[in-house]
Amino acid sequence: MKLKILVIITICLILLAANSVIRSGEIQAVGQSAWPQISTNLVASGFELPVHITNAQDGSNRLFVVEQRGRIQILQNSSIQATFLDISDRVRSPISGGGTEEGLLSAAFPPGFGSTKSHFYVYYTRKNGDNRVSRFYLSPDPNFADPASEQVILELPHPTYGNHNGGQLAFGPDGYLYIGTGDGGGGGDPFDNAQNPGVLQGKLLRIDVELAQIKTRSESVLIYLPLIPNNSTFPPPDQAYRIPANNPFLGQPGYRGEIWALGLRNPWRFSFDRLTGDFYIADVGQSTWEEVNFQPAASAGGENYGWNIMEGEDCYNGSTCDSSGLTLPVFSYRTHVDGCSVTGGFTYRGSNYPGLQGIYYLGDYCSGRIWGMQNSGSVWINQMLLETTYNISSFGEDESGELYLADRNSGNIYQIIEVTTGS
C-alpha cells in the first residue's frame, strides 16, 4: 500500500515538473480568477501611418502621435489639434521610398518638460538608412516644435538592410534615456550584432542626456550648462551625452559602455511599469517565436536576452545550444500561428477601469490579437483577451495611465476599455 502511494506521489511530481517547463506562450490562465473583458473605443482618426503614442507629463493632457513619414501630431479632445513637429524632409519612410520599418519611430519627453525644460527627443531613420537620436526644442508656441532646432545625440549606422531598426525611446524611473536598437536587419542577424558587445545594434542602451552638457537653445546661440557630477562619466566637450557610471559594461574591454542589455533582434516597443519600475521588452521574432522579456526594477542591467543563440525558448541554429547565462522570455507565442510581429504595451495603472489594474497588455501587428499577462507568484500567466482587425503598431499611456493603441493601417487611435456586465 505504501509503495502504491509512493508511486502515485512520484507520478504527480513528474507531471507538475513537466507542466512547469511548458513554454510560456502555451501556459493557460491558471491562477487568475477572472481576466477582464476588454474592448476598444475609437478616440480619433485621420493619422497617417501612426507608429507611436506618448504623453509629455506636463499637465496638458495632450497625446503625441508619431507618424512614420516624419510628423508628430497632437491629439487632444478626440481630434488632431496641431502638427507638433514635421521633419519628413530628412526622414526615410515607406512614403519616401524606404522600407516598411523605417521612418520617424518614436518620441520621448524628459522629466520636467513644460516647466523647466523645452526640449524632447526623437528616433528616426535618415535618408541614407542610418538611424539617429536627436533633441528638438519648442517654438514660443508650446503646440509647435522648431524643426530647425535639431541637435544630434547619437548616430546608429544601418547601411545594408531596411528592417530591424528598433526605434523606441523612453525615460526610465532613474531619469536616463533608454534606447532600443535592432540587430541591423536581414534574416538571422547575419552580422552577429546582437551578441557583439562592441556594437550598439541589437541592444538596449542607457545614456544620460539630461544631466550632462545640455545645450540650451538661446536664439542662435548654443550655451553649454556646467557639468554637474551625478554618478556619471564626463564626456568630452563635444559629446552630446554621457554614460552612467553604473552601466553594467562600462569599462569592460570590448564592450560599448552605453549597453544596458543585449541579445535582442528588434525590440520594437518597451515600457516601464509606472508603479513598480519593472521593465517589459517585446522583441520581434524571426520565424518561430514572438517574445516578451522582463527585467525587474531592481535589476542592475547586463541581461542577455539570447538572440541569435535563442529565438524565444528554442535554440535558433541547430537542435542544441548553450543557453547558460541567458535570460529567457516570460511570454512567447508562435509566429505565423498567433501573429507575425509582437507589439509591446503597458501595465495598466489608470483609475477608470479597476478590472484592468496590474495587467500588462500587448498585441500583434498582423493578427490584431491583444493579450494580458502578469506574474502570479513565481509563474507568469497570460490570456488572449481580444480579437481585432487592427494592425497594432503601438500602445500608449496618457498622463493618468489610461491605455491606447494605434492601428497603423487605418490611422485610427483607440482607447482600451473594460466591458462590464450589462454594458
Side-chain angles (χ1 to χ4, degrees):
M1 183 67 178
K2 290 182 179 179
L3 179 60
K4 184 176 182 180
I5 293 173
L6 180 61
V7 170
I8 293 173
I9 292 173
T10 302
I11 292 172
C12 290
L13 289 173
I14 292 172
L15 290 174
L16 286 171
N19 186 62
S20 69
V21 296
I22 293 175
R23 300 180 189 282
S24 56
E26 298 170 353
I27 294 176
Q28 301 301 308
V30 294
Q32 172 73 19
S33 58
W35 289 91
Q37 183 178 351
I38 68 171
S39 185
T40 60
N41 272 349
L42 178 64
V43 174
S45 58
F47 296 94
E48 187 174 23
L49 303 181
V51 292
H52 190 230
I53 306 170
T54 191
N55 73 83
Q57 286 291 327
D58 62 350
S60 69
N61 296 312
R62 297 174 294 177
L63 283 176
F64 296 83
V65 179
V66 177
E67 295 179 328
Q68 194 172 358
R69 64 168 291 185
R71 299 185 306 191
I72 301 175
Q73 307 276 25
I74 293 177
L75 170 58
Q76 194 170 32
N77 300 323
S78 300
S79 64
I80 298 174
Q81 299 295 315
T83 298
F84 180 66
L85 178 69
D86 187 346
I87 55 170
S88 54
D89 62 332
R90 67 203 78 172
V91 172
R92 182 177 179 180
S93 70
I95 292 177
S96 64
T100 58
E101 297 180 22
E102 297 173 312
L104 177 58
L105 302 178
S106 71
F109 296 84
F113 177 83
S115 56
T116 61
K117 298 173 184 177
S118 61
H119 59 270
F120 61 98
Y121 299 85
V122 302
Y123 186 119
Y124 71 91
T125 308
R126 301 178 60 199
K127 294 290 188 181
N128 66 356
D130 292 343
N131 295 305
R132 171 181 283 180
V133 178
S134 287
R135 181 189 294 124
F136 285 87
Y137 288 81
L138 292 177
S139 72
D141 186 330
N143 278 336
F144 298 94
D146 182 358
S149 66
E150 180 175 14
Q151 296 168 349
V152 177
I153 303 298
L154 181 64
E155 297 276 10
L156 297 161
H158 202 95
T160 308
Y161 299 101
N163 60 344
H164 304 181
N165 297 278
Q168 173 81 49
L169 297 179
F171 281 92
D174 52 17
Y176 295 128
L177 183 65
Y178 289 74
I179 305 168
T181 69
D183 66 9
D189 192 7
F191 303 114
D192 292 322
N193 285 332
Q195 291 297 323
N196 182 353
V199 300
L200 298 182
Q201 287 75 17
K203 311 294 192 301
L204 276 171
L205 313 179
R206 177 182 185 247
I207 61 174
D208 177 5
V209 291
E210 288 298 292
L211 298 176
Q213 298 167 321
I214 300 298
K215 297 177 180 179
T216 302
R217 188 162 183 259
S218 176
E219 297 179 346
S220 61
V221 180
L222 295 179
I223 304 172
Y224 286 85
L225 295 179
L227 283 170
I228 303 173
N230 188 60
N231 194 32
S232 301
T233 61
F234 292 89
D238 60 346
Q239 188 169 318
Y241 65 88
R242 57 183 174 181
I243 301 171
N246 58 352
N247 268 17
F249 302 113
L250 183 62
Q252 291 193 25
Y255 282 79
R256 288 291 298 264
E258 296 94 334
I259 297 172
W260 178 253
L262 65 157
L264 294 162
R265 182 177 179 272
N266 193 34
W268 172 241
R269 291 292 173 249
F270 59 76
S271 68
F272 293 92
D273 184 330
R274 61 165 60 191
L275 178 65
T276 66
D278 291 334
F279 195 16
Y280 295 81
I281 308 109
D283 197 19
V284 178
Q286 177 66 43
S287 57
T288 306
W289 293 102
E290 306 296 311
E291 66 183 65
V292 176
N293 298 288
F294 175 76
Q295 186 182 91
S299 170
E303 286 88 347
N304 186 332
Y305 292 109
W307 176 252
N308 63 352
I309 300 168
M310 311 285 292
E311 182 188 3
E313 297 172 15
D314 283 346
C315 295
Y316 177 66
N317 287 313
S319 58
T320 60
C321 60
D322 183 5
S323 62
S324 58
L326 303 180
T327 300
L328 299 183
V330 296
F331 173 61
S332 57
Y333 64 89
R334 288 192 179 275
T335 308
H336 307 311
V337 176
D338 295 311
C340 77
S341 181
V342 64
T343 300
F346 291 84
T347 302
Y348 180 80
R349 296 300 180 186
S351 58
N352 289 346
Y353 305 108
L356 306 186
Q357 192 64 224
I359 298 172
Y360 173 81
Y361 296 87
L362 68 142
D364 184 85
Y365 178 78
C366 297
S367 69
R369 291 172 172 166
I370 299 174
W371 288 266
M373 56 173 281
Q374 61 182 320
N375 188 272
S376 178
S378 60
V379 178
W380 285 91
I381 58 176
N382 66 82
Q383 177 70 28
M384 201 277 289
L385 298 175
L386 186 65
E387 297 261 13
T388 77
T389 59
Y390 310 147
N391 291 122
I392 303 173
S393 55
S394 182
F395 291 82
E397 284 183 308
D398 65 17
E399 292 187 31
S400 61
E402 301 302 322
L403 295 187
Y404 302 80
L405 66 83
D407 178 4
R408 180 178 177 272
N409 185 45
S410 70
N412 293 339
I413 304 298
Y414 298 88
Q415 184 177 0
I416 297 175
I417 63 170
E418 181 180 12
V419 179
T420 56
T421 304
S423 60

